[in-house]
Amino acid sequence: MRILAFFFFWLAGSALAETRQEVGLELLLLADASGSIDDMELSFQRQGYATAITDPEVLKAIEQSLYGYVAVTYVEWATNTAVVVPWTVIDGDATAQAFADALDGPPRQAYGSNAIGGALLDAKRLIESNDIIAPRAVIDFSGDSIRNSSGPSIASARAEVLAAGIVINALPILRPEDGRRAGANLEEEYAKRIIAGPGAFMVTAEGRDSFARTVRRKLVLEISGRTPDPDRGRIALIPAQ
């Protein structure tokens, strides 16, 4: 009976594995939608990611990646998190454009102040509960503050994400009028308290004009799995943990 039970357990596990699509990377784009981001800025962020995901350089990185396709989702965070575009396998122009088009239109669903710890844990759950399997999983966190007004602490959430084998990269957004708005240097805080995991890094968005270019550069690095060159622009790296 034990042998029979084991056989059925193995068969069920094999069937489950066959239903999961294997890709080279699970990339969760976790974008700031807290109270400091107005509707115009929210739309601008989405447009920046739409422009970046369809850029020829990003598409080339996808084509040259491990399987030639990656899975991406776009999630906005504030007090709660909201999935704007669900998990999408991108393998070329058409699927990238479909993802970009899906970013345009959904209403704002994340409201309130900063809950960074909760956002990181929600991102972890979305990675672990999807029907995709990949050798790498990355949370691409962006925001304009380091405040954590409610929910789990950043430190505990970061540790839990790291323990799950998920890398956290970051995109601190600086504003011309109050660029380092966290009270301390926002880039330093993100480098110290947000990014985590082997090869984790941070790229800074310094304004509207460079936002899409910065996102494009970050996506290329994440998709290709390359280690960025700290001498090229404002990048922070951490060693493997």
Side-chain angles (χ1 to χ4, degrees), residues 167 169 197-201 226-228 237-241:
V167 170
N169 294 331
F201 67 93
R226 297 203 314 262
T227 300
L237 301 170
I238 62 170
Q241 297 185 16

Side-chain angles (χ1 to χ4, degrees), residues 157-236:
R158 180 179 181 268
E160 192 170 327
V161 171
L162 185 59
I166 300 170
V167 170
I168 307 172
N169 294 331
L171 179 72
I173 302 171
L174 305 186
R175 294 168 177 266
E177 68 277 12
D178 57 347
R180 288 156 180 81
R181 55 186 292 144
N185 186 300
L186 185 59
E187 295 158 297
E188 181 180 332
E189 292 290 329
Y190 271 37
K192 181 171 61 177
R193 298 175 58 189
I194 300 290
I195 62 177
F201 67 93
M202 177 189 80
V203 180
T204 301
E206 298 193 67
R208 294 176 67 91
D209 293 342
S210 63
F211 185 78
R213 292 197 305 272
T214 303
V215 171
R216 177 192 65 198
R217 182 183 179 197
K218 193 162 185 288
L219 291 179
V220 168
L221 291 169
E222 287 167 332
I223 292 165
S224 64
R226 297 203 314 262
T227 300
D229 179 1
D231 294 329
R232 288 191 57 209
R234 301 174 73 147
I235 285 185

Side-chain angles (χ1 to χ4, degrees), residues 138-155:
V138 174
I139 296 171
D140 185 335
F141 178 89
S142 65
D144 65 2
S145 174
I146 194 63
R147 288 187 292 273
N148 194 56
S149 303
S150 62
S153 70
I154 297 173

Side-chain angles (χ1 to χ4, degrees), residues 119-143:
L120 292 175
L121 291 181
D122 281 351
K124 172 180 174 287
R125 175 183 56 79
L126 288 168
I127 289 172
E128 293 179 333
S129 64
N130 63 24
D131 59 356
I132 296 161
I133 186 169
R136 292 194 298 129
V138 174
I139 296 171
D140 185 335
F141 178 89
S142 65

